[in-house]
Amino acid sequence: MTSRYGIIDLQLKRLTNADLERSGEGSQMDIKRVVAKPSEGLVYLERYVNDGSPSGFTALHRTSPATDPYGLHASFSPFALFDELARFQTFGTDTHHPILQDGMIFIHPDMAHHAELRGSDVRECPDIQVTPTSSARTVQVMSARPHDYIKLFYDGLVGRNNRRLHRIKAIAGPELSALLSTAIESGDLPAYLTILREPFSRIHRNPDNSDPAQDWAMVWREGTPTGSASPRIHWMAPLFSLWSRDRLRPEDPPLIEQLWTLWGGKAEDVMLSLLTNLIDIHFTLITKLGLQFEFNAQNVLLGLDAQCNIESIVLRDMMDIEKDLVIRRSLGLHTDFASHPYHVLGVEDQDFARQRRSFEPPQQNLWGDSGSGSRPKL
C-alpha cells in the first residue's frame, strides 16, 4: 500500500469530508489518525497544521494556487528542463530514483515560462505527482518510491526571501549533509539525532551566461531519516505543528495538547528532555563540528514511535548551516568548502557568530577581543 514514510495517495477530499470527520473516528487532527497513517499524516501536518511565520510574510508571498501548500490541490506535476548532458553538474552522490533521468533537472511549474528559459527544452512531467511541503518550493514525490523530496528551482519571493537556487546554494546542502552523515555514523553526535540527508544536487549551466549566480539547480532530499534512532521512528511531526491550529478544522485541539494528554504524568519530563536534547544538539554541532544549524520550527521534526514516545530529533534543510572557520580550524577540521563563501564565518565575523550562539547583546563580547566583524553580505 505505502512505504513507511511514503505517500501513495493523498486524497484531500477524503481527508476533509464532513461525513468522515463526524463519523466517530475523530477529526483529521485526531492524533490516532496521524499515527494510523503516518505518511499522509505528515503531509497534512506540513500543509494544514501550520500557522506560518509570525512575520506575516508566509501569507504575503505564496506560490500559484495550484501549488500552494495551503490550497486544496492534493498534488501537481513538476516541469523539467532538459539539455545536453555536458551542461549539467552533479554534486554529491546521485540517487538512482525512478523519476530521474540524465540531462535534466526538475523545476517548479511557476518557472516554466521564465524569461531565462526561452528557447529551452522545458516540459511538463504528467506521469509524476508531487505535493508541496511547508517550504513551498520543496516538494515530496508521491507517484513513485522512495517518496523523497526535491528542492525545486524557484526565482521569486516565497515567504520573505527570493528562493532562487543557484550553484553555490545548491552545493551547500549536500556538502553539509555529508559532514553530518559521517559524524552520525562515527558516533560523534547524540544517538537521538537523525537527519533527512541531501545526497546530491544537480546544476544546469546556461552556456549563454558565465555568471554562476544565473545557474539553475535542484537539491534531492531523502524521505527516511538517517541515524541509529531511525528504525524506531513510526511517524514524524514538524515542530511548528505542535502548537499550530488546523487550517481546515481550527476547532480541533493542538497536537501538543493531544500529546500532553497521552503522555499523562510524564508530560513535563518529556518536554524537559526534548528541550534539553535540542540545546545539546545545538552546542554539540558547534563544539565538535564548528557548524551552526538553523534551528527553527520548520527545519526540526520530531520522530515518534507508534505509542507517541519521542525517539528522535530530526533535522532537515542543510543549505543554511553556517560554517565557523575559527572553530573548525581550532578543532583541526578542514575549512575548504566548495560552497564558499555561502554561510562561511571567518575571524572577521566573530561578533556575528557569537551573537548567533549566545544571544548576547552586541556590546558584550564573550570572545575577548574587538569582534568588529559583521555578517557576510552574500
Side-chain angles (χ1 to χ4, degrees):
M1 174 180 172
T2 176
S3 66
R4 190 171 187 184
Y5 300 105
I7 303 163
I8 296 301
D9 188 22
L10 174 63
Q11 299 283 353
L12 287 178
K13 62 182 180 182
R14 173 167 55 83
L15 295 180
T16 59
N17 182 275
D19 292 335
L20 179 58
E21 290 177 340
R22 305 296 184 186
S23 66
E25 296 180 38
S27 69
Q28 170 57 27
M29 252 294 285
D30 188 327
I31 198 169
K32 295 178 182 177
R33 289 191 173 189
V34 179
V35 174
K37 296 183 177 180
S39 300
E40 293 181 3
L42 175 57
V43 173
Y44 193 90
L45 295 176
E46 286 263 21
R47 295 184 59 176
Y48 302 114
V49 189
N50 181 353
D51 286 343
S53 169
S55 68
F57 282 106
T58 303
L60 185 61
H61 303 299
R62 294 159 71 166
T63 60
S64 58
T67 66
D68 185 357
Y70 299 150
L72 294 181
H73 292 271
S75 64
F76 60 88
S77 293
F79 279 67
L81 167 63
F82 293 86
D83 207 340
E84 299 173 13
L85 186 60
R87 292 179 179 170
F88 292 91
Q89 174 194 4
T90 296
F91 186 90
T93 304
D94 206 331
T95 298
H96 299 291
H97 194 280
I99 70 170
L100 274 173
Q101 303 177 37
D102 291 333
M104 57 83 76
I105 60 169
F106 291 108
I107 63 174
H108 196 278
D110 293 0
M111 300 295 105
H113 303 290
H114 195 286
E116 293 178 15
L117 296 183
R118 287 174 185 160
S120 300
D121 184 4
V122 177
R123 311 174 209 164
E124 187 177 7
C125 305
D127 295 333
I128 300 172
Q129 290 293 301
V130 298
T131 189
T133 66
S134 56
S135 174
R137 56 87 177 262
T138 300
V139 298
Q140 185 173 25
V141 180
M142 297 171 59
S143 53
R145 295 175 176 168
H147 305 289
D148 291 344
Y149 297 89
I150 315 170
K151 184 178 287 189
L152 301 172
F153 184 91
Y154 197 97
D155 185 17
L157 287 174
V158 177
R160 60 189 174 90
N161 293 320
N162 185 293
R163 304 297 171 171
R164 187 177 182 99
L165 187 60
H166 55 70
R167 182 178 184 276
I168 295 299
K169 287 186 176 183
I171 285 175
E175 184 174 41
L176 274 297
S177 176
L179 282 181
L180 290 183
S181 296
T182 299
I184 287 173
E185 291 169 4
S186 62
D188 291 334
L189 298 178
Y192 50 79
L193 170 64
T194 58
I195 65 170
L196 297 185
R197 291 194 326 124
E198 297 176 4
F200 78 97
S201 58
R202 191 181 288 180
I203 303 134
H204 176 260
R205 169 58 58 85
N206 184 343
D208 299 324
N209 197 325
S210 60
D211 182 3
Q214 300 303 313
D215 293 342
W216 287 50
M218 70 175 184
V219 178
W220 202 269
R221 180 185 301 159
E222 294 177 347
T224 303
T226 290
S228 61
S230 181
R232 301 192 299 275
I233 298 175
H234 176 70
W235 64 286
M236 293 187 289
L239 201 59
F240 59 72
S241 68
L242 295 188
W243 56 80
S244 295
R245 288 289 179 179
D246 189 329
R247 289 173 177 266
L248 302 184
R249 288 187 54 87
E251 69 274 18
D252 284 356
L255 191 60
I256 186 61
E257 183 178 326
Q258 298 182 52
L259 285 169
W260 198 273
T261 300
L262 283 173
W263 292 332
K266 64 178 183 178
E268 290 189 11
D269 290 337
V270 171
M271 290 304 298
L272 180 60
S273 177
L274 171 61
L275 295 173
T276 301
N277 290 343
L278 281 168
I279 295 170
D280 182 40
I281 291 172
H282 171 76
F283 285 105
T284 300
L285 289 175
I286 291 170
T287 57
K288 288 194 173 184
L289 298 179
L291 300 179
Q292 167 75 59
F293 184 78
E294 187 184 21
F295 278 92
N296 60 43
Q298 181 169 284
N299 291 347
V300 178
L301 301 91
L302 301 185
L304 302 98
D305 64 17
Q307 288 72 47
C308 297
N309 299 304
I310 300 174
E311 296 289 349
S312 176
I313 293 172
V314 186
L315 304 185
R316 65 179 174 186
D317 201 349
M318 308 296 154
M319 184 177 77
D320 288 331
I321 294 177
E322 290 167 343
K323 291 85 76 175
D324 192 311
L325 303 191
V326 176
I327 294 178
R328 288 187 62 81
R329 196 172 289 116
S330 72
L331 295 171
L333 301 174
H334 82 81
T335 57
D336 182 21
F337 287 94
S339 56
H340 186 278
Y342 185 70
H343 282 314
V344 170
L345 302 177
V347 65
E348 70 278 10
D349 306 304
Q350 290 181 5
D351 187 58
F352 169 72
R354 176 192 51 73
Q355 292 176 53
R356 290 276 281 172
R357 285 191 290 274
S358 68
F359 303 99
E360 291 290 331
Q363 67 271 20
Q364 299 180 19
N365 194 328
L366 303 183
W367 286 57
D369 53 31
S370 63
S372 59
S374 60
R375 183 170 185 167
K377 296 178 176 59
L378 301 175

